[in-house]
PDB file of all heavy atoms in Angstrom:
ATOM      1  N   LEU A   1      67.344  72.583  42.370  1.00 88.00           N
ATOM      2  CA  LEU A   1      66.565  72.740  41.151  1.00 88.00           C
ATOM      3  C   LEU A   1      67.391  72.497  39.881  1.00 88.00           C
ATOM      4  O   LEU A   1      66.895  71.941  38.906  1.00 88.00           O
ATOM      5  CB  LEU A   1      65.968  74.164  41.087  1.00 88.00           C
ATOM      6  CG  LEU A   1      64.850  74.464  42.118  1.00 88.00           C
ATOM      7  CD1 LEU A   1      64.463  75.924  42.035  1.00 88.00           C
ATOM      8  CD2 LEU A   1      63.638  73.570  41.884  1.00 88.00           C
ATOM      9  N   ASN A   2      68.664  72.904  39.912  1.00 83.00           N
ATOM     10  CA  ASN A   2      69.472  72.865  38.695  1.00 83.00           C
ATOM     11  C   ASN A   2      70.480  71.723  38.641  1.00 83.00           C
ATOM     12  O   ASN A   2      70.781  71.233  37.538  1.00 83.00           O
ATOM     13  CB  ASN A   2      70.249  74.170  38.564  1.00 83.00           C
ATOM     14  CG  ASN A   2      69.345  75.365  38.237  1.00 83.00           C
ATOM     15  OD1 ASN A   2      68.194  75.177  37.860  1.00 83.00           O
ATOM     16  ND2 ASN A   2      69.879  76.560  38.376  1.00 83.00           N
ATOM     17  N   ASN A   3      71.007  71.290  39.789  1.00 80.00           N
ATOM     18  CA  ASN A   3      72.142  70.372  39.785  1.00 80.00           C
ATOM     19  C   ASN A   3      71.888  69.068  40.541  1.00 80.00           C
ATOM     20  O   ASN A   3      72.833  68.314  40.782  1.00 80.00           O
ATOM     21  CB  ASN A   3      73.386  71.049  40.378  1.00 80.00           C
ATOM     22  CG  ASN A   3      73.730  72.348  39.669  1.00 80.00           C
ATOM     23  OD1 ASN A   3      73.591  72.453  38.449  1.00 80.00           O
ATOM     24  ND2 ASN A   3      74.145  73.360  40.426  1.00 80.00           N
ATOM     25  N   GLY A   4      70.644  68.782  40.893  1.00 84.00           N
ATOM     26  CA  GLY A   4      70.391  67.528  41.591  1.00 84.00           C
ATOM     27  C   GLY A   4      70.901  67.501  43.014  1.00 84.00           C
ATOM     28  O   GLY A   4      71.106  66.419  43.583  1.00 84.00           O
ATOM     29  N   TYR A   5      71.123  68.646  43.586  1.00 90.00           N
ATOM     30  CA  TYR A   5      71.599  68.724  44.993  1.00 90.00           C
ATOM     31  C   TYR A   5      70.475  68.231  45.900  1.00 90.00           C
ATOM     32  O   TYR A   5      69.319  68.540  45.666  1.00 90.00           O
ATOM     33  CB  TYR A   5      71.912  70.185  45.293  1.00 90.00           C
ATOM     34  CG  TYR A   5      72.735  70.456  46.543  1.00 90.00           C
ATOM     35  CD1 TYR A   5      74.011  69.940  46.672  1.00 90.00           C
ATOM     36  CD2 TYR A   5      72.227  71.287  47.539  1.00 90.00           C
ATOM     37  CE1 TYR A   5      74.765  70.221  47.790  1.00 90.00           C
ATOM     38  CE2 TYR A   5      72.961  71.551  48.666  1.00 90.00           C
ATOM     39  CZ  TYR A   5      74.246  71.017  48.802  1.00 90.00           C
ATOM     40  OH  TYR A   5      74.977  71.297  49.929  1.00 90.00           O
ATOM     41  N   ASP A   6      70.834  67.455  46.926  1.00 91.00           N
ATOM     42  CA  ASP A   6      69.778  66.899  47.780  1.00 91.00           C
ATOM     43  C   ASP A   6      69.950  67.312  49.237  1.00 91.00           C
ATOM     44  O   ASP A   6      70.959  67.912  49.619  1.00 91.00           O
ATOM     45  CB  ASP A   6      69.747  65.362  47.682  1.00 91.00           C
ATOM     46  CG  ASP A   6      71.104  64.721  48.031  1.00 91.00           C
ATOM     47  OD1 ASP A   6      71.706  65.124  49.029  1.00 91.00           O
ATOM     48  OD2 ASP A   6      71.519  63.825  47.286  1.00 91.00           O
ATOM     49  N   LEU A   7      68.947  67.016  50.028  1.00 92.00           N
ATOM     50  CA  LEU A   7      68.906  67.448  51.427  1.00 92.00           C
ATOM     51  C   LEU A   7      70.028  66.876  52.244  1.00 92.00           C
ATOM     52  O   LEU A   7      70.632  67.547  53.102  1.00 92.00           O
ATOM     53  CB  LEU A   7      67.538  67.051  52.043  1.00 92.00           C
ATOM     54  CG  LEU A   7      67.280  67.516  53.464  1.00 92.00           C
ATOM     55  CD1 LEU A   7      67.320  69.035  53.569  1.00 92.00           C
ATOM     56  CD2 LEU A   7      65.946  66.956  53.965  1.00 92.00           C
ATOM     57  N   VAL A   8      70.361  65.601  52.009  1.00 93.00           N
ATOM     58  CA  VAL A   8      71.431  64.949  52.766  1.00 93.00           C
ATOM     59  C   VAL A   8      72.776  65.673  52.511  1.00 93.00           C
ATOM     60  O   VAL A   8      73.547  65.935  53.431  1.00 93.00           O
ATOM     61  CB  VAL A   8      71.532  63.469  52.395  1.00 93.00           C
ATOM     62  CG1 VAL A   8      72.754  62.819  53.041  1.00 93.00           C
ATOM     63  CG2 VAL A   8      70.273  62.721  52.803  1.00 93.00           C
ATOM     64  N   SER A   9      73.020  65.999  51.254  1.00 93.00           N
ATOM     65  CA  SER A   9      74.252  66.701  50.898  1.00 93.00           C
ATOM     66  C   SER A   9      74.304  68.085  51.536  1.00 93.00           C
ATOM     67  O   SER A   9      75.350  68.575  51.970  1.00 93.00           O
ATOM     68  CB  SER A   9      74.387  66.819  49.379  1.00 93.00           C
ATOM     69  OG  SER A   9      74.441  65.555  48.763  1.00 93.00           O
ATOM     70  N   TRP A  10      73.159  68.738  51.570  1.00 94.00           N
ATOM     71  CA  TRP A  10      73.066  70.080  52.150  1.00 94.00           C
ATOM     72  C   TRP A  10      73.438  70.059  53.621  1.00 94.00           C
ATOM     73  O   TRP A  10      74.260  70.856  54.077  1.00 94.00           O
ATOM     74  CB  TRP A  10      71.648  70.606  51.954  1.00 94.00           C
ATOM     75  CG  TRP A  10      71.456  72.020  52.416  1.00 94.00           C
ATOM     76  CD1 TRP A  10      72.363  73.047  52.332  1.00 94.00           C
ATOM     77  CD2 TRP A  10      70.285  72.577  53.021  1.00 94.00           C
ATOM     78  NE1 TRP A  10      71.841  74.221  52.833  1.00 94.00           N
ATOM     79  CE2 TRP A  10      70.547  73.960  53.277  1.00 94.00           C
ATOM     80  CE3 TRP A  10      69.028  72.071  53.357  1.00 94.00           C
ATOM     81  CZ2 TRP A  10      69.622  74.809  53.837  1.00 94.00           C
ATOM     82  CZ3 TRP A  10      68.080  72.923  53.916  1.00 94.00           C
ATOM     83  CH2 TRP A  10      68.393  74.270  54.164  1.00 94.00           C
ATOM     84  N   VAL A  11      72.837  69.127  54.355  1.00 94.00           N
ATOM     85  CA  VAL A  11      73.150  69.010  55.782  1.00 94.00           C
ATOM     86  C   VAL A  11      74.630  68.697  55.978  1.00 94.00           C
ATOM     87  O   VAL A  11      75.275  69.284  56.882  1.00 94.00           O
ATOM     88  CB  VAL A  11      72.269  67.930  56.434  1.00 94.00           C
ATOM     89  CG1 VAL A  11      72.696  67.688  57.900  1.00 94.00           C
ATOM     90  CG2 VAL A  11      70.792  68.330  56.405  1.00 94.00           C
ATOM     91  N   SER A  12      75.149  67.795  55.166  1.00 94.00           N
ATOM     92  CA  SER A  12      76.568  67.436  55.269  1.00 94.00           C
ATOM     93  C   SER A  12      77.460  68.624  54.989  1.00 94.00           C
ATOM     94  O   SER A  12      78.470  68.836  55.680  1.00 94.00           O
ATOM     95  CB  SER A  12      76.861  66.289  54.316  1.00 94.00           C
ATOM     96  OG  SER A  12      78.258  65.959  54.333  1.00 94.00           O
ATOM     97  N   ASP A  13      77.120  69.421  53.971  1.00 93.00           N
ATOM     98  CA  ASP A  13      77.951  70.564  53.623  1.00 93.00           C
ATOM     99  C   ASP A  13      77.912  71.653  54.694  1.00 93.00           C
ATOM    100  O   ASP A  13      78.896  72.350  54.943  1.00 93.00           O
ATOM    101  CB  ASP A  13      77.508  71.138  52.255  1.00 93.00           C
ATOM    102  CG  ASP A  13      77.909  70.256  51.105  1.00 93.00           C
ATOM    103  OD1 ASP A  13      78.917  69.518  51.258  1.00 93.00           O
ATOM    104  OD2 ASP A  13      77.245  70.274  50.052  1.00 93.00           O
ATOM    105  N   ILE A  14      76.747  71.826  55.288  1.00 94.00           N
ATOM    106  CA  ILE A  14      76.658  72.821  56.384  1.00 94.00           C
ATOM    107  C   ILE A  14      77.586  72.412  57.506  1.00 94.00           C
ATOM    108  O   ILE A  14      78.293  73.229  58.109  1.00 94.00           O
ATOM    109  CB  ILE A  14      75.198  72.963  56.890  1.00 94.00           C
ATOM    110  CG1 ILE A  14      74.343  73.650  55.824  1.00 94.00           C
ATOM    111  CG2 ILE A  14      75.157  73.728  58.222  1.00 94.00           C
ATOM    112  CD1 ILE A  14      72.860  73.738  56.208  1.00 94.00           C
ATOM    113  N   ASN A  15      77.560  71.122  57.834  1.00 94.00           N
ATOM    114  CA  ASN A  15      78.432  70.621  58.884  1.00 94.00           C
ATOM    115  C   ASN A  15      79.904  70.791  58.545  1.00 94.00           C
ATOM    116  O   ASN A  15      80.727  71.162  59.404  1.00 94.00           O
ATOM    117  CB  ASN A  15      78.121  69.146  59.158  1.00 94.00           C
ATOM    118  CG  ASN A  15      78.860  68.599  60.372  1.00 94.00           C
ATOM    119  OD1 ASN A  15      78.782  69.156  61.469  1.00 94.00           O
ATOM    120  ND2 ASN A  15      79.613  67.525  60.191  1.00 94.00           N
ATOM    121  N   LYS A  16      80.246  70.542  57.275  1.00 91.00           N
ATOM    122  CA  LYS A  16      81.628  70.759  56.811  1.00 91.00           C
ATOM    123  C   LYS A  16      82.033  72.229  56.931  1.00 91.00           C
ATOM    124  O   LYS A  16      83.153  72.548  57.306  1.00 91.00           O
ATOM    125  CB  LYS A  16      81.784  70.271  55.362  1.00 91.00           C
ATOM    126  CG  LYS A  16      81.703  68.800  55.169  1.00 91.00           C
ATOM    127  CD  LYS A  16      81.819  68.431  53.679  1.00 91.00           C
ATOM    128  CE  LYS A  16      81.644  66.947  53.442  1.00 91.00           C
ATOM    129  NZ  LYS A  16      81.686  66.606  51.978  1.00 91.00           N
ATOM    130  N   GLY A  17      81.075  73.094  56.601  1.00 88.00           N
ATOM    131  CA  GLY A  17      81.350  74.530  56.716  1.00 88.00           C
ATOM    132  C   GLY A  17      81.613  74.959  58.161  1.00 88.00           C
ATOM    133  O   GLY A  17      82.527  75.725  58.440  1.00 88.00           O
ATOM    134  N   PHE A  18      80.795  74.418  59.073  1.00 91.00           N
ATOM    135  CA  PHE A  18      81.004  74.719  60.481  1.00 91.00           C
ATOM    136  C   PHE A  18      82.392  74.219  60.910  1.00 91.00           C
ATOM    137  O   PHE A  18      83.126  74.915  61.630  1.00 91.00           O
ATOM    138  CB  PHE A  18      79.952  74.017  61.335  1.00 91.00           C
ATOM    139  CG  PHE A  18      78.583  74.654  61.266  1.00 91.00           C
ATOM    140  CD1 PHE A  18      77.477  74.024  61.817  1.00 91.00           C
ATOM    141  CD2 PHE A  18      78.395  75.882  60.675  1.00 91.00           C
ATOM    142  CE1 PHE A  18      76.224  74.605  61.759  1.00 91.00           C
ATOM    143  CE2 PHE A  18      77.152  76.493  60.593  1.00 91.00           C
ATOM    144  CZ  PHE A  18      76.045  75.849  61.160  1.00 91.00           C
ATOM    145  N   ALA A  19      82.740  72.995  60.510  1.00 90.00           N
ATOM    146  CA  ALA A  19      84.009  72.408  60.915  1.00 90.00           C
ATOM    147  C   ALA A  19      85.197  73.204  60.394  1.00 90.00           C
ATOM    148  O   ALA A  19      86.239  73.276  61.052  1.00 90.00           O
ATOM    149  CB  ALA A  19      84.088  70.939  60.427  1.00 90.00           C
ATOM    150  N   SER A  20      85.053  73.817  59.195  1.00 80.00           N
ATOM    151  CA  SER A  20      86.167  74.568  58.622  1.00 80.00           C
ATOM    152  C   SER A  20      86.515  75.807  59.448  1.00 80.00           C
ATOM    153  O   SER A  20      87.586  76.368  59.303  1.00 80.00           O
ATOM    154  CB  SER A  20      85.813  74.976  57.194  1.00 80.00           C
ATOM    155  OG  SER A  20      84.780  75.955  57.154  1.00 80.00           O
ATOM    156  N   MET A  21      85.596  76.237  60.286  1.00 80.00           N
ATOM    157  CA  MET A  21      85.824  77.425  61.122  1.00 80.00           C
ATOM    158  C   MET A  21      86.202  77.094  62.536  1.00 80.00           C
ATOM    159  O   MET A  21      86.222  77.959  63.430  1.00 80.00           O
ATOM    160  CB  MET A  21      84.549  78.293  61.124  1.00 80.00           C
ATOM    161  CG  MET A  21      84.195  78.857  59.749  1.00 80.00           C
ATOM    162  SD  MET A  21      85.473  80.044  59.206  1.00 80.00           S
ATOM    163  CE  MET A  21      84.996  80.265  57.480  1.00 80.00           C
ATOM    164  N   GLN A  22      86.523  75.838  62.807  1.00 84.00           N
ATOM    165  CA  GLN A  22      86.778  75.417  64.189  1.00 84.00           C
ATOM    166  C   GLN A  22      87.929  76.167  64.834  1.00 84.00           C
ATOM    167  O   GLN A  22      87.821  76.649  65.984  1.00 84.00           O
ATOM    168  CB  GLN A  22      87.109  73.928  64.216  1.00 84.00           C
ATOM    169  CG  GLN A  22      87.530  73.385  65.561  1.00 84.00           C
ATOM    170  CD  GLN A  22      87.841  71.909  65.521  1.00 84.00           C
ATOM    171  OE1 GLN A  22      87.035  71.103  65.071  1.00 84.00           O
ATOM    172  NE2 GLN A  22      89.019  71.541  66.023  1.00 84.00           N
ATOM    173  N   ASP A  23      89.040  76.314  64.126  1.00 80.00           N
ATOM    174  CA  ASP A  23      90.227  76.944  64.701  1.00 80.00           C
ATOM    175  C   ASP A  23      89.954  78.404  65.083  1.00 80.00           C
ATOM    176  O   ASP A  23      90.312  78.834  66.196  1.00 80.00           O
ATOM    177  CB  ASP A  23      91.428  76.853  63.731  1.00 80.00           C
ATOM    178  CG  ASP A  23      92.031  75.477  63.748  1.00 80.00           C
ATOM    179  OD1 ASP A  23      91.732  74.685  64.678  1.00 80.00           O
ATOM    180  OD2 ASP A  23      92.784  75.160  62.813  1.00 80.00           O
ATOM    181  N   ILE A  24      89.391  79.166  64.170  1.00 73.00           N
ATOM    182  CA  ILE A  24      89.176  80.572  64.494  1.00 73.00           C
ATOM    183  C   ILE A  24      88.054  80.773  65.494  1.00 73.00           C
ATOM    184  O   ILE A  24      88.046  81.735  66.261  1.00 73.00           O
ATOM    185  CB  ILE A  24      88.920  81.433  63.227  1.00 73.00           C
ATOM    186  CG1 ILE A  24      87.653  80.988  62.498  1.00 73.00           C
ATOM    187  CG2 ILE A  24      90.092  81.374  62.283  1.00 73.00           C
ATOM    188  CD1 ILE A  24      87.239  81.933  61.400  1.00 73.00           C
ATOM    189  N   PHE A  25      87.106  79.848  65.524  1.00 84.00           N
ATOM    190  CA  PHE A  25      86.057  79.877  66.549  1.00 84.00           C
ATOM    191  C   PHE A  25      86.684  79.747  67.933  1.00 84.00           C
ATOM    192  O   PHE A  25      86.399  80.542  68.848  1.00 84.00           O
ATOM    193  CB  PHE A  25      85.068  78.739  66.272  1.00 84.00           C
ATOM    194  CG  PHE A  25      83.854  78.739  67.178  1.00 84.00           C
ATOM    195  CD1 PHE A  25      82.673  79.264  66.725  1.00 84.00           C
ATOM    196  CD2 PHE A  25      83.892  78.184  68.436  1.00 84.00           C
ATOM    197  CE1 PHE A  25      81.520  79.268  67.532  1.00 84.00           C
ATOM    198  CE2 PHE A  25      82.796  78.193  69.260  1.00 84.00           C
ATOM    199  CZ  PHE A  25      81.596  78.723  68.806  1.00 84.00           C
ATOM    200  N   ILE A  26      87.539  78.728  68.093  1.00 88.00           N
ATOM    201  CA  ILE A  26      88.169  78.501  69.377  1.00 88.00           C
ATOM    202  C   ILE A  26      89.086  79.661  69.751  1.00 88.00           C
ATOM    203  O   ILE A  26      89.091  80.118  70.899  1.00 88.00           O
ATOM    204  CB  ILE A  26      88.954  77.174  69.350  1.00 88.00           C
ATOM    205  CG1 ILE A  26      88.013  75.979  69.200  1.00 88.00           C
ATOM    206  CG2 ILE A  26      89.801  77.003  70.618  1.00 88.00           C
ATOM    207  CD1 ILE A  26      88.676  74.666  68.960  1.00 88.00           C
ATOM    208  N   LEU A  27      89.871  80.118  68.785  1.00 81.00           N
ATOM    209  CA  LEU A  27      90.797  81.213  69.060  1.00 81.00           C
ATOM    210  C   LEU A  27      90.075  82.467  69.493  1.00 81.00           C
ATOM    211  O   LEU A  27      90.512  83.169  70.414  1.00 81.00           O
ATOM    212  CB  LEU A  27      91.663  81.507  67.811  1.00 81.00           C
ATOM    213  CG  LEU A  27      92.652  82.653  67.966  1.00 81.00           C
ATOM    214  CD1 LEU A  27      93.662  82.388  69.076  1.00 81.00           C
ATOM    215  CD2 LEU A  27      93.396  82.898  66.638  1.00 81.00           C
ATOM    216  N   SER A  28      88.955  82.787  68.862  1.00 80.00           N
ATOM    217  CA  SER A  28      88.206  83.984  69.224  1.00 80.00           C
ATOM    218  C   SER A  28      87.699  83.889  70.657  1.00 80.00           C
ATOM    219  O   SER A  28      87.740  84.862  71.428  1.00 80.00           O
ATOM    220  CB  SER A  28      87.008  84.161  68.271  1.00 80.00           C
ATOM    221  OG  SER A  28      87.468  84.444  66.982  1.00 80.00           O
ATOM    222  N   LEU A  29      87.193  82.725  71.044  1.00 88.00           N
ATOM    223  CA  LEU A  29      86.763  82.534  72.432  1.00 88.00           C
ATOM    224  C   LEU A  29      87.933  82.724  73.401  1.00 88.00           C
ATOM    225  O   LEU A  29      87.806  83.381  74.449  1.00 88.00           O
ATOM    226  CB  LEU A  29      86.176  81.125  72.612  1.00 88.00           C
ATOM    227  CG  LEU A  29      84.858  80.806  71.893  1.00 88.00           C
ATOM    228  CD1 LEU A  29      84.476  79.368  72.139  1.00 88.00           C
ATOM    229  CD2 LEU A  29      83.757  81.721  72.376  1.00 88.00           C
ATOM    230  N   PHE A  30      89.090  82.134  73.066  1.00 90.00           N
ATOM    231  CA  PHE A  30      90.260  82.239  73.944  1.00 90.00           C
ATOM    232  C   PHE A  30      90.755  83.665  74.058  1.00 90.00           C
ATOM    233  O   PHE A  30      91.168  84.121  75.130  1.00 90.00           O
ATOM    234  CB  PHE A  30      91.356  81.322  73.428  1.00 90.00           C
ATOM    235  CG  PHE A  30      91.148  79.850  73.721  1.00 90.00           C
ATOM    236  CD1 PHE A  30      91.998  78.891  73.235  1.00 90.00           C
ATOM    237  CD2 PHE A  30      90.060  79.436  74.486  1.00 90.00           C
ATOM    238  CE1 PHE A  30      91.824  77.549  73.513  1.00 90.00           C
ATOM    239  CE2 PHE A  30      89.843  78.096  74.747  1.00 90.00           C
ATOM    240  CZ  PHE A  30      90.710  77.136  74.274  1.00 90.00           C
ATOM    241  N   ILE A  31      90.776  84.382  72.948  1.00 82.00           N
ATOM    242  CA  ILE A  31      91.215  85.781  72.973  1.00 82.00           C
ATOM    243  C   ILE A  31      90.280  86.653  73.840  1.00 82.00           C
ATOM    244  O   ILE A  31      90.705  87.488  74.610  1.00 82.00           O
ATOM    245  CB  ILE A  31      91.297  86.360  71.546  1.00 82.00           C
ATOM    246  CG1 ILE A  31      92.528  85.792  70.828  1.00 82.00           C
ATOM    247  CG2 ILE A  31      91.411  87.915  71.584  1.00 82.00           C
ATOM    248  CD1 ILE A  31      92.665  86.254  69.400  1.00 82.00           C
ATOM    249  N   GLY A  32      88.972  86.406  73.709  1.00 84.00           N
ATOM    250  CA  GLY A  32      88.018  87.126  74.536  1.00 84.00           C
ATOM    251  C   GLY A  32      88.248  86.850  76.019  1.00 84.00           C
ATOM    252  O   GLY A  32      88.222  87.776  76.844  1.00 84.00           O
TER     253      GLY A  32
END
């Protein structure tokens, strides 16, 4: 609504956010 953010950017940013947690995601599984 305010900054011209679009759906494509949103999907891309969600994917980037998921990718940023890759290391701790894997480590948590391994520790368990």
Side-chain angles (χ1 to χ4, degrees):
L1 291 174
N2 291 345
N3 305 322
Y5 195 60
D6 56 45
L7 184 61
V8 174
S9 299
W10 185 36
V11 172
S12 176
D13 286 334
I14 290 176
N15 187 55
K16 290 177 183 177
F18 287 170
S20 69
M21 295 294 169
Q22 174 181 308
D23 284 344
I24 62 171
F25 186 99
I26 294 172
L27 179 60
S28 295
L29 293 177
F30 283 176
I31 286 177

